[in-house]
Amino acid sequence: MVPPSPGHHRQTQVDTASTNDVVQRSARRIQQRIHLSVDVCKPKRKCKAMKGDTGSTKYHDAPLSEYELERLENIRQNKAFLSGLNLPQLADMMRPKSVPRKKVVREALPPRKSLRLQNIDVDVPESEEELILEGPVPMCPLNLKDGSSLPEELVRLWTEEPVKQDRKWKGKKMDLESYKEGLQKMGIQEDCVAKVVQQIIFSAAFHPCDGSLLMAAGDFWGKVGIWNPEASWGDNGVLIFRPHTRQITSMKFSNSQPSTLITTSADETVRAGDVECATFDEVCRFKDLRSFDFLSDDCTTLLLGNKWGRVTICDMRTRTSSHESFYAMDPFSSKIMRCVHVHPVHRMYFLAAGINGVRIHDVRYLKKESNQAVSDLRGEAFVRGAYFSPDTGNRVLGTCNDDTLRVFDTSQMISSPPLITSIPHKTKVKGSTNIQAMWDPKQEDCFAVGCIGSPPRIKVFHENGKLLHTFEIPDEMATSACDIVAFHPSRFALLGGNSYARLHVFT
């Protein structure tokens, strides 16, 4: 083994010395960093006073000024005054004591459903005391003094025999041009507009007397207005009665007994107003009553229909209903039905108009449920009303909810009568009753219907859809569209009733 040379030892000593210098310098840097971090973490000294001219710092040890002494004294006095008021004790006394709430157990109610979406009319009673009127109701005008008797002229007009149809119109139809000339001669005067009831008019009818015009109208709260434009009784010839407590859904004068006015109401009663007896006698009761028609020629038997598709037969001579209620054929069961109407010639047939169109039934083959229709007149939408033509019954006029008037050929009772014509016509009016087209008893192939617009109008159409004439109500007489229309059975006269309780008469 060769020993290291002396030069090698010297080189090793130099390397060791340089290494020690590096370690010492690193240690000094670490110590400096530690001292620097300690200085940063030390809390700052308290704020000193402003530096003087010499640059030395002094703490606040000067005496307080006079202003500061006065301020401290005011603070002390205010604290003493507030402590003497005992405000915390007064606040505790005025704070209301909390009373534990009693747990209220609420009755579980069925879920609420929209009646509008279910096509159900809402009947709101005026007061709980007027919900039921039982038995005969005296024919006492509300707009006359208590104890006043009926005017003699009213009794005379109301009991006047109607013009026989076979003498003037039966089996004899005017030519269309002569009929149009008669319509063009008709007009309206200021004294031919009157408010006959107090609420929306739901039904109206002409008395069949020919000597003078006598009209009746029924409103939302069961009131009946009788009006003769030439009379001086009551309010400009208007007398108002109250035979019902809900809306009067339909009314008709009896042709065989002109002194009788039949009314049906949503209060589930049928009443016969007899001017000779001065009473509105109760004929029968039928739940959810909607409409009626005379089933017999002598007007002694009634066919009643309610909104759920049921009908019943009532004999006025016994003043009791047969209660042989039945459902119309499906899908009329539990569906909305608007009206019933009897065939003018073959009175065994009647139609039922409702939410799924119009169906014709035979009264001789009715049973409690699942009745089969003789004819099915299917429309495109909900039918608001349908009626046989007044003389022969060879046509059916329907007012549909899809803003259309339809005329069907029912000259033969076949399963699906053909559609003759379809007339676009707006039938829905917000805030009013249903617009319905009605036949003219004098000219059974023509009908009238109210129109929406300004000014309000009533149009007369032929069954083929041709417009024959338009009656306009002047702006100074107009209030709203005439939803209810009716022709006089023997005179050139036309009435229109609106939602403002007014009748307009064209003569």
Side-chain angles (χ1 to χ4, degrees), residues 67 113 335 386 418 452 480-481:
Y67 168 76
K113 296 181 180 180
K335 297 292 184 181
I452 304 169
S480 69

Side-chain angles (χ1 to χ4, degrees), residues 194-248:
K195 184 174 182 178
V196 295
V197 284
Q198 297 178 355
Q199 295 291 333
I200 301 175
I201 293 178
F202 275 82
S203 56
F206 271 108
H207 188 279
C209 64
D210 193 45
S212 182
L213 295 179
L214 185 65
M215 293 154 282
D219 75 352
F220 184 82
W221 288 121
K223 295 182 177 64
V224 172
I226 304 295
W227 179 37
N228 176 249
E230 302 174 358
S232 58
W233 61 63
D235 301 326
N236 299 322
V238 176
L239 294 179
I240 301 177
F241 306 91
R242 182 70 183 280
H244 297 280
T245 59
R246 300 290 187 277
Q247 65 192 50
I248 297 178

Side-chain angles (χ1 to χ4, degrees), residues 10-30:
R10 288 194 297 266
Q11 182 66 32
T12 303
Q13 292 175 358
V14 173
D15 293 341
T16 304
S18 62
T19 302
N20 293 335
D21 292 339
V22 172
V23 172
Q24 291 177 2
R25 285 197 300 270
S26 299
R28 284 196 297 270
R29 291 193 191 98
I30 294 173

Side-chain angles (χ1 to χ4, degrees), residues 160-163 206-212 214 253-255 258 488-490:
E160 182 179 322
E161 290 292 331
V163 175
F206 271 108
H207 188 279
C209 64
D210 193 45
S212 182
L214 185 65
F253 285 96
S254 171
N255 289 324
H488 193 280
S490 59

Side-chain angles (χ1 to χ4, degrees), residues 6 29 92 155 163 194 200 207 212 235 239 241 254 256 297 329-331 343 367 384 387 398 402 430 446 459 497:
R29 291 193 191 98
D92 294 338
V155 177
V163 175
I200 301 175
H207 188 279
S212 182
D235 301 326
L239 294 179
F241 306 91
S254 171
S256 62
D297 289 325
M329 65 164 291
D330 294 332
H343 196 286
K367 50 187 179 180
R384 294 179 176 273
Y387 303 94
D402 61 348
K430 185 178 180 180
C446 299
K459 293 184 178 181

Side-chain angles (χ1 to χ4, degrees), residues 59-70 72:
Y59 289 97
H60 286 291
D61 54 359
L64 297 176
S65 65
E66 183 178 355
Y67 168 76
E68 291 176 339
L69 294 174
E70 184 178 355
L72 294 175

